[in-house]
Amino acid sequence: MRLLPVRTALRVPAVAAVTAALALAVLPAGPAAADERPGAAGFTIADPRIKESSGLAASRIHPGVYWTHNDSDDGPYVYAVDSATGRTVARVTLTGIGTPRDVEAISLGPDGQLYVGDIGDNRDGTWDHVWIYRFPEPKELHDATVRAEQFTVTYADGPRNAEALMVHPVTGRVYIASKNEQRGGLYEGPERLSADGNNVFRRIADVPWVTDGAFSPDGGRLALRGYFWARTYPWRDGRPQGGGDRVDAPWQGQAESVTYTPDGRTLMFGAEGANSKVVAVPVAPDAAGSPAPSGAASRPATGGGAGSAADGPADGPGGGYGKGALVLAVGTALVLGGRRLLRRRPRG
């Protein structure tokens, strides 16, 4: 999803000015130390075809490889990127599905299959259904065409926009986090997806304005990110617990993706744009997988299991936004106003 298309950016100079200020306010002090684990260091996506990387999933069978895709205007393609070089080592073309509309997320399930979420809806209700595509992660990396399953998805409380799709690595259950400027929702899919009928997703918790999410490899944590924040939540009994713990997410402008490394010790944060950077952020042991102990510091949730929109860029120890909290609040308001004015027309 484009935040401010180039053709309209000049019409909202105030948003651009605040965005520049935000970058100065919340940029990390310096690069993270190099990590020798495969796929645990940051990299730049070098493929010129990948201009709107909108999701990330770490491969389990190809060390250091990450799966990604474009947001829209590309086609039924999924790319495997080698983090050691930033180069694409495979482009998979999906067949057996319709024409993708707004692909926003990708996740790897315990069944070894990749789940692609064609779940975006920029008008918060233009489409009465969205889709999930599923195909086995290729055992060999080269350009290939594969037949994918297509699942029709609706929400029990009506259509909505979403950018985050997460498959639990133990149960295989699929979750979607909707994106709303006031308060989004975390939705749980059926125990097993059906390709023959409608798959109804039901709201189980409130969440902030989410652009992507990922489960830790052992399923004990759920990481969610937005444009200005990231948090990890203990996951118990099929629900996120408490207000979560802040993660020092990088400032990335059009911040669109997050995934754990296969060992759960690092979160990888991605963004849209040509030559976009994927930034590696080590996570605390409690945020790497196993649920945090009951005495661990976390802010209480307000109105739902995963906090509120105000939980994002909060001041306090462990957060990366203390100096810029007020700037972020003003910037968020201006960005949201710009988005309402400049929202793209839906595709047919």
Side-chain angles (χ1 to χ4, degrees):
M1 178 182 295
R2 300 179 184 88
L3 180 59
L4 289 177
V6 173
R7 64 180 179 274
T8 57
L10 294 178
R11 295 168 55 189
V12 283
V15 175
V18 172
T19 300
L22 289 173
L24 293 175
V26 300
L27 268 174
D35 196 320
E36 296 182 356
R37 289 173 293 141
F43 61 96
T44 298
I45 297 176
D47 191 333
R49 297 172 297 182
I50 305 174
K51 298 178 181 178
E52 291 187 284
S53 175
S54 194
L56 282 175
S59 172
R60 294 200 192 103
I61 59 178
H62 304 293
V65 168
Y66 289 86
W67 295 95
T68 190
H69 54 83
N70 281 308
D71 182 342
S72 53
D73 299 327
D74 185 25
Y77 306 121
V78 176
Y79 301 82
V81 178
D82 182 358
S83 62
T85 63
R87 297 177 180 175
T88 295
V89 291
R91 185 175 82 161
V92 176
T93 302
L94 305 184
T95 63
I97 63 174
T99 302
R101 293 187 297 205
D102 194 354
V103 180
E104 293 287 357
I106 188 168
S107 185
L108 185 60
D111 54 2
Q113 300 202 78
L114 286 160
Y115 293 68
V116 180
D118 190 356
I119 55 176
D121 185 345
N122 294 332
R123 292 270 183 142
D124 289 321
T126 299
W127 299 313
D128 61 4
H129 67 277
V130 291
W131 298 299
I132 294 172
Y133 313 126
R134 184 175 71 185
F135 66 98
E137 181 179 17
K139 293 183 172 57
E140 298 180 1
L141 293 177
H142 53 75
D143 289 358
T145 298
V146 302
R147 186 168 185 84
E149 292 179 278
Q150 177 170 305
F151 304 97
T152 299
V153 169
T154 62
Y155 301 95
D157 51 358
R160 58 206 57 248
N161 189 22
E163 294 192 10
L165 178 146
M166 299 77 64
V167 182
H168 195 274
V170 177
T171 67
R173 201 154 198 161
V174 182
Y175 297 83
I176 293 174
S178 69
K179 178 179 178 181
N180 185 275
E181 294 160 2
Q182 282 74 45
R183 183 186 296 276
L186 181 65
Y187 289 80
E188 178 185 72
E191 185 175 357
R192 293 289 179 267
L193 296 179
S194 170
D196 299 325
N198 183 37
N199 295 274
V200 179
F201 279 61
R202 303 183 185 281
R203 191 180 185 112
I204 60 171
D206 293 331
V207 294
W209 188 4
V210 175
T211 60
D212 201 14
F215 282 107
S216 60
D218 70 354
R221 281 265 168 175
L222 173 65
L224 297 176
R225 80 163 304 177
Y227 290 123
F228 306 128
W229 64 278
R231 301 180 77 83
T232 67
Y233 301 87
W235 185 265
R236 298 189 186 97
D237 301 321
R239 300 291 185 271
Q241 304 295 316
D245 301 299
R246 285 184 296 269
V247 177
D248 285 322
W251 166 254
Q252 292 180 297
Q254 189 68 8
E256 289 284 328
S257 57
V258 66
T259 192
Y260 278 90
T261 52
D263 62 9
R265 292 164 52 190
T266 304
L267 281 167
M268 306 294 286
F269 291 92
E272 289 189 0
N275 298 310
S276 61
K277 295 184 182 300
V278 176
V279 180
V281 177
V283 294
D286 284 339
S290 300
S294 58
S298 64
R299 300 178 63 193
T302 55
S308 70
D311 288 339
D315 292 327
Y321 307 106
K323 296 181 180 179
L326 180 59
V327 178
L328 285 170
V330 175
T332 301
L334 287 173
V335 169
L336 295 181
R339 289 182 64 85
R340 290 190 182 101
L341 290 173
L342 305 176
R343 209 172 263 155
R344 295 178 296 178
R345 297 182 66 83
R347 294 177 175 82

